Amino acid sequence: MRKNFVVIASLAFTALFVGFGIVVPEKLGDVASYILFTFIGEYFGWFYMFVALFFVVTCLFVAFSKYGNIRLGKDTDRPQFNTFTWIAMLYSCGLAISLFFWGVAEPVLMYLEPPYGDGGTKESAEVAMQYTFFHWGFHSWGTYAIIGLIMAYFQYRKNTPPLINHTLQPLLGKRAFGPIGKFINILAIFAVISGISTSLGLGVNQMGAGFEYEYGIANNTVNNIILIVILTIIFTASASSGIERGIKWLSNINIVIALMILAAVFSLGPTVKVMEILFTSTGNYLNNFIDMSFHLEPFLNDYSWQAGWDFFYWGWAISFGVFVGLFFARISKGRTIREFILGAMIVPTIATMIWYGTFGGTALYNIINLGNTELSNQILENMDTALFYFLELFPASPILILMTFISVIIFFVTSADSTVYVLGMYSEESTNPSNRSKILWAMVIAGVAIALHLTGGLTPLQTVSAAAGLPFSIVITSNDDIFF
């Protein structure tokens, strides 16, 4: 019973919170907005900015210092997966469907409403690409990497169970296994459940809207619930087959499909201009990296833009990173710390910049150079269908759109089955959880997603999950001294 206390308490806490969102979803929205835009925005925004940069600096320092040669495991251990498969699983778990949902939308939204200056100008387009790289680059992947590194170090060098409270033993001593440690584990499970449940619900919203937009399949509640059930069956089967089979092969297949889509958009679009956008945006990102990392508006009373973008992203990365980091750790035994940082932060950052530069840059080129204002209107009116309108601008668009649907589904499945695997690890304190545990967590995730989908509580819960990054940021920061 003591071993299951954290799981039972986590489920009860999640049920109470979701119940609140079901009964009074507008109140949940008010609470979420207050926490992120008022409480964190006004009092802890600086701290979010600090820790996100601190994680990047720590990762780089550890990777290229003498600690980089430390192997995550015994000195004789070697990696379980080849490098391509390993990076494919890291990428599929860490990014999920965000590549498609935000790849076109975010640069255009920030082009229309930049953090400073006038929107809708060529200057704001450059700022938009610069900040898109900022949000999806080193800071986000550095957060995932540092959590994964800490978890992997304790599991494979200190032989601890895969629980976050065990990483606090050097700081808290025996108290890490008392009420404080249990509360941290409960909060971690809640963050994982709420994060993947909102991703499932919001992902289904985009898929449902896309199916209606392209194929005329009604985007209604019944069909969306059916889609949630189908996706749940698929990712449960994948998770039950184990990392060596379902998760591994789906990740490999999907990275190949995503690369084919990327190559098609790059070659069929304004290729030379995309190269120029990538080149210029990379330079702007690196040149302004420190300025953006420390950017706040102390002489303004309105933090709404930064709270909705910077603070939200860092909070979400920390909160979602509790699951992502643990999965990163699970598949990285035998790698050196240097290999881990390169694979979990450097390579994904470069790949993500290329993706966003290609999709976002092409979208902005269509709006600014070709005068296609309908694209920006589509994004403002319905982001769920904007991607498919964008893909219709290319030759052979039916094939591109079909490949995109397949990739979106697989990306979600690989992220969800990784989550189910991680929750199973938490509940059984084992790196190889039973299928019974995976099925239980899959049912919980699907139930939460359906309940919140029916009541409109998905987006507020996502905001609350981002706010949960605040306590976790303190926990993670306190662990960074293990390498010093």
Side-chain angles (χ1 to χ4, degrees), residues 59-60 62-64 67-72 79 83 86-87 90 141-153 155-156 321 324-348 483:
C59 283
L60 292 174
V62 172
F64 296 105
Y67 305 105
N69 296 319
I70 296 175
R71 196 168 293 278
L72 298 173
T83 301
W86 177 61
I87 292 177
L90 291 174
W141 288 102
T143 300
Y144 296 157
I146 196 67
I147 299 173
L149 179 59
I150 291 170
M151 297 298 294
Y153 183 84
Q155 284 180 63
Y156 303 132
V324 175
L326 186 51
F327 184 75
F328 279 16
R330 171 61 183 83
I331 63 175
S332 300
K333 184 178 181 180
R335 301 219 173 246
T336 65
I337 287 179
R338 184 173 296 113
E339 286 179 306
F340 181 87
I341 297 298
L342 289 173
M345 185 177 82
I346 306 296
V347 173
F483 302 110

Side-chain angles (χ1 to χ4, degrees), residues 98-168:
S98 301
L99 277 175
F100 291 102
F101 190 84
W102 290 110
V104 174
E106 180 168 333
V108 175
L109 288 173
M110 284 195 288
Y111 157 72
L112 297 172
E113 189 180 350
Y116 51 83
D118 296 326
T121 65
K122 292 181 180 180
E123 290 75 19
S124 69
E126 291 189 359
V127 172
M129 290 306 306
Q130 173 185 313
Y131 264 84
T132 298
F133 284 11
F134 179 55
H135 291 149
W136 296 95
F138 291 113
H139 285 65
S140 288
W141 288 102
T143 300
Y144 296 157
I146 196 67
I147 299 173
L149 179 59
I150 291 170
M151 297 298 294
Y153 183 84
F154 274 89
Q155 284 180 63
Y156 303 132
R157 300 293 296 190
K158 304 292 185 181
N159 297 316
T160 67
L163 300 174
I164 198 167
N165 68 309
H166 284 265
T167 68
L168 294 172

Side-chain angles (χ1 to χ4, degrees), residues 97 101 197-206 384 458-459 462:
I97 62 174
F101 190 84
S197 297
T198 51
S199 294
L200 173 57
L202 295 172
V204 163
N205 287 346
Q206 186 182 32
D384 290 334
L458 286 167
T459 301
Q462 187 183 39

Side-chain angles (χ1 to χ4, degrees), residues 45 77 91 142 153 182 193 210 223 251 273 330 334 371 411 419 438:
D77 285 340
Y91 207 72
Y153 183 84
K182 287 182 172 60
I193 294 174
N223 285 344
S251 297
K273 289 296 182 182
R330 171 61 183 83
F411 258 126
T419 308
K438 298 172 192 174

